[in-house]
Amino acid sequence: MKSPSKQAARDIAACRLAEEYLLGFDQVTSEMLTQHLTDPDAAKSVSSIPGIYKQLVTSAQNKNMSPSVIGRSIGGVHKLAKVLCRFYPAAVVRKYGADSRRLLNEIVARVRPAGKVRRKSRSIWPLFCRSVLSGAAFLSQFKLAEDFRAWVRFFDKDERARASLPMLISTEVDGIGFALACDFLKELGFQNFSKPDTHLKYILPRLELSESGDDYIIFKAISRIAHNTGKTPYEVDKLFWLIGSGNFYKDDLSIGRNREDFVRHARSRFRR
């Protein structure tokens, strides 16, 4: 790893290059970029236990092909409210317990997903249902949203302990790994919990911004970059994610996936 001063200079340069790169697309304006790097509405979800549970259910399907197989096939995760007791986790536990097969039967009968619903234990829908029910059991420990917020703040206030929270959640909730646990917390408005997704795991090691593509190493690298640049981890996460995904979703705009091109561009600039 580079010396702290050299690493800080590289972190600052990388973020500047990332912003310049995105603004180099004719369709992308500085206002659009700013809007996507901030999420003023996220904290609203954390104001109620059903809002928190709904986000956990949403994050549970944010992996691999799951958003297409699950969310898109039913017209959005919100459609599950009718089988998930309006997203009250304690009620879900009372209704289903850990019976994920019963939940899947209810979804098929009442929500009617488009396409084939595969029922083998390692298929997407059964895995998702297990995440949903273990997530309900986990969140039923919290009677009020403030209880949950205080619990998150307990870990968030100490940078040394912060990464242990998504690790704990990934143990409690079946199928929610470290990255998806970070996604869950980040989308609730806890901006120190960046998601080490596939785009950041590609870009950061290749630009010598992290030592490897390991989830924990990427998480720590994003926190360091944020500290060195005066940004939040959420902003750093979104900045490189926008390059990788090309998805300016708030403006219904796609500029295509550009992580390989950006890495080549940034490397050439670093050599100057």
Side-chain angles (χ1 to χ4, degrees):
M1 203 69 181
K2 299 178 183 299
S3 68
S5 61
K6 287 184 177 180
Q7 188 63 63
R10 194 173 185 88
D11 292 344
I12 293 167
C15 285
R16 176 178 51 78
L17 286 170
E19 291 173 356
E20 290 175 356
Y21 183 85
L22 288 170
L23 291 172
F25 289 87
D26 291 340
Q27 313 98 305
V28 179
T29 66
S30 57
E31 291 78 11
M32 286 170 55
L33 184 56
T34 299
Q35 183 186 25
H36 282 80
L37 295 181
T38 57
D39 198 359
D41 296 327
K44 293 179 181 178
S45 296
V46 80
S47 63
S48 70
I49 290 295
I52 294 168
Y53 182 43
K54 183 180 177 183
Q55 182 56 56
L56 181 58
V57 172
T58 300
S59 293
Q61 60 104 58
N62 278 346
K63 60 180 176 181
N64 301 329
M65 294 174 60
S66 297
S68 296
V69 174
I70 296 172
R72 199 174 302 165
S73 74
I74 60 176
V77 168
H78 65 281
K79 294 290 185 67
L80 294 173
K82 64 178 72 173
V83 296
L84 292 179
C85 310
R86 294 180 297 143
F87 293 105
Y88 280 88
V92 170
V93 172
R94 287 193 297 270
K95 182 175 181 179
Y96 300 104
D99 192 345
S100 58
R101 288 186 179 182
R102 182 184 172 196
L103 172 58
L104 183 52
N105 289 337
E106 283 276 291
I107 291 171
V108 170
R110 299 183 61 193
V111 186
R112 301 183 180 279
K116 184 177 179 61
V117 175
R118 300 184 184 277
R119 293 176 177 267
K120 291 184 178 180
S121 63
R122 302 306 298 173
S123 295
I124 289 174
W125 272 109
L127 288 171
F128 173 71
C129 288
R130 291 200 290 275
S131 296
V132 168
L133 294 185
S134 56
F138 163 64
L139 286 176
S140 65
Q141 302 174 80
F142 304 96
K143 294 187 181 301
L144 300 172
E146 179 51 35
D147 296 336
F148 179 82
R149 288 196 295 268
W151 183 70
V152 175
R153 287 196 297 265
F154 174 80
F155 291 90
D156 193 17
K157 68 184 179 183
D158 188 338
E159 188 174 343
R160 298 164 299 180
R162 188 175 296 142
S164 62
L165 178 55
M167 290 179 183
L168 190 158
I169 293 172
S170 70
T171 301
E172 292 271 359
V173 184
D174 190 12
I176 297 281
F178 183 88
L180 287 181
C182 290
D183 181 68
F184 164 58
L185 294 165
K186 171 174 68 72
E187 294 304 320
L188 286 174
F190 297 106
Q191 298 198 358
N192 286 326
F193 293 92
S194 55
K195 179 188 177 186
D197 86 335
T198 181
H199 300 301
L200 282 87
K201 290 166 77 170
Y202 180 92
I203 294 171
L204 267 56
R206 287 166 173 79
L207 295 185
E208 299 177 37
L209 301 175
S210 71
E211 294 178 328
S212 76
D214 174 79
D215 284 351
Y216 176 75
I217 298 298
I218 294 292
F219 180 89
K220 296 290 285 184
I222 295 169
S223 295
R224 186 204 68 240
I225 294 167
H227 174 78
N228 286 336
T229 59
K231 300 179 183 294
T232 65
Y234 181 93
E235 288 175 289
V236 174
D237 175 318
K238 282 291 190 199
L239 181 61
F240 291 108
W241 180 84
L242 285 168
I243 289 171
S245 71
N247 183 14
F248 283 78
Y249 53 93
K250 292 183 179 180
D251 291 282
D252 195 25
L253 169 69
S254 175
I255 60 172
R257 297 187 173 189
N258 298 283
R259 65 189 194 185
E260 293 90 350
D261 184 66
F262 173 69
V263 166
R264 286 193 296 269
H265 170 74
R267 280 175 168 173
S268 70
R269 294 292 297 274
F270 281 142
R271 286 197 294 265
R272 294 178 184 178

